[in-house]
Amino acid sequence: MAELKPLYDKTYECLLCKAKFTSKKIRSRFVKVIEFESDFRPVYESEQANPILYYAKVCPKCGFSFTDDFTPYFAPGREELIKEKVCRHWVPQDYGGERDMESAVKTLKLAAYCGTLKKEKHITTAGVYIRLAWLYRMAEDEEQERRFLNLALHEYMESYLTDDFRNTQVTEIRMLYLIGELSRRTGKIEQAVRYFSKVIEKQENSFEPGIVEMARERWYEIREMQKNERTKE
């Protein structure tokens, strides 16, 4: 019997030009998470079996890039804009094979650009940006990690303000925590404290005690850090 491989081809239909194409996906049995970092980045046992590498799909025909969270709907004028900004400049190439860090980053950046032109939900665009930040963290590129954490933070805040995260897997508690944690990681300490406090305030109505506890830990860490800084002055 042939040995089962981690990667397999899945067929997709381009949301824009409707062309059919295949892109690699990792079989779930090969995806092993060791731990989650404080901004929910999953640390995988194998860097090769990392689903983030295959999160974005790129149509080899027109260049439109999307994720499973993109909606099929295009607002009036958006298809034409994407054709002008993306498809017109597209040099046919195929990202449907095995990916390394560099090719994964390219596909995610293209998905972020296409999502912005399409006016996807803020929560969807935030999901692309935070994965870019995670890949740069793996590559130990702190400058680019911070850049994309900031972009993700902006989109998560817009999502919270416009309520477009409703009916997704992201709960309000998780959203508030993420805004707090990304604020902390990008040096916006007072904003981080405000959002961690919002999580703690909602603990009685929360079904996610683990996230409330994480917010409380981050809150105490910040307060201890500020206390130590004042002592040194």
Side-chain angles (χ1 to χ4, degrees):
M1 198 168 89
E3 183 188 357
L4 196 65
K5 294 184 177 179
L7 293 175
Y8 70 97
D9 288 319
K10 182 173 179 180
T11 301
Y12 294 91
E13 181 179 274
C14 177
L15 298 178
L16 185 67
C17 76
K18 306 304 178 188
K20 295 277 203 314
F21 65 96
T22 63
S23 194
K24 294 289 184 193
K25 199 172 168 75
I26 302 176
R27 298 181 201 277
S28 57
R29 72 179 68 179
F30 289 94
V31 178
K32 294 183 172 64
V33 179
I34 302 169
E35 63 172 331
F36 288 94
E37 293 183 341
S38 60
D39 60 353
F40 304 125
R41 177 177 90 92
V43 179
Y44 297 100
E45 187 176 84
S46 165
E47 284 191 14
Q48 281 68 46
N50 181 345
I52 298 171
L53 298 175
Y54 302 93
Y55 187 69
K57 293 81 182 164
V58 182
C59 175
K61 184 181 175 185
C62 74
F64 184 71
S65 182
F66 58 98
T67 74
D68 291 340
D69 296 322
F70 277 45
T71 64
Y73 172 75
F74 287 80
R78 291 288 140 186
E79 287 183 71
E80 292 73 20
L81 182 63
I82 294 166
K83 286 172 184 175
E84 170 66 26
K85 299 284 189 183
V86 177
C87 308
R88 187 167 159 232
H89 306 283
W90 179 248
V91 178
Q93 52 194 302
D94 192 357
Y95 284 101
E98 190 170 347
R99 293 180 188 168
D100 56 14
M101 186 80 72
E102 185 181 357
S103 57
V105 163
K106 284 179 181 175
T107 63
L108 284 166
K109 284 181 176 177
L110 187 55
Y113 184 52
C114 289
T116 302
L117 293 174
K118 185 178 178 289
K119 287 209 165 178
E120 263 300 334
K121 285 183 174 183
H122 295 290
I123 189 68
T124 302
T125 310
V128 178
Y129 282 140
I130 199 168
R131 283 168 176 81
L132 273 162
W134 291 343
L135 286 185
Y136 278 117
R137 188 179 305 163
M138 286 171 62
E140 298 181 347
D141 186 334
E142 290 182 11
E143 184 182 345
Q144 288 300 315
E145 178 195 344
R146 192 181 182 94
R147 175 192 168 202
F148 284 102
L149 285 178
N150 269 310
L151 288 167
L153 172 59
H154 173 76
E155 292 298 323
Y156 279 123
M157 291 188 78
E158 287 297 314
S159 177
Y160 182 63
L161 291 170
T162 58
D163 231 24
D164 79 0
F165 66 95
R166 300 291 176 186
N167 302 317
T168 71
Q169 291 181 325
V170 181
T171 61
E172 184 179 10
I173 287 286
R174 184 173 284 251
M175 172 68 77
L176 291 169
Y177 172 82
L178 255 178
I179 292 173
E181 177 58 10
L182 298 190
S183 299
R184 184 186 73 84
R185 284 177 175 266
T186 53
K188 302 169 186 68
I189 301 305
E190 289 308 316
Q191 181 169 287
V193 169
R194 279 203 311 278
Y195 278 88
F196 288 142
S197 297
K198 287 176 190 282
V199 175
I200 297 164
E201 285 164 13
K202 291 179 179 288
Q203 61 185 315
E204 288 181 11
N205 303 318
S206 172
F207 296 103
E208 298 171 284
I211 293 178
V212 174
E213 189 55 37
M214 287 168 72
R216 190 177 282 112
E217 286 171 8
R218 300 289 91 72
W219 189 91
Y220 280 122
E221 283 171 13
I222 290 171
R223 287 304 185 212
E224 283 301 309
M225 179 190 74
Q226 290 175 330
K227 197 187 297 180
N228 290 338
E229 284 175 357
R230 282 195 294 271
T231 307
K232 290 176 186 174
E233 289 173 2

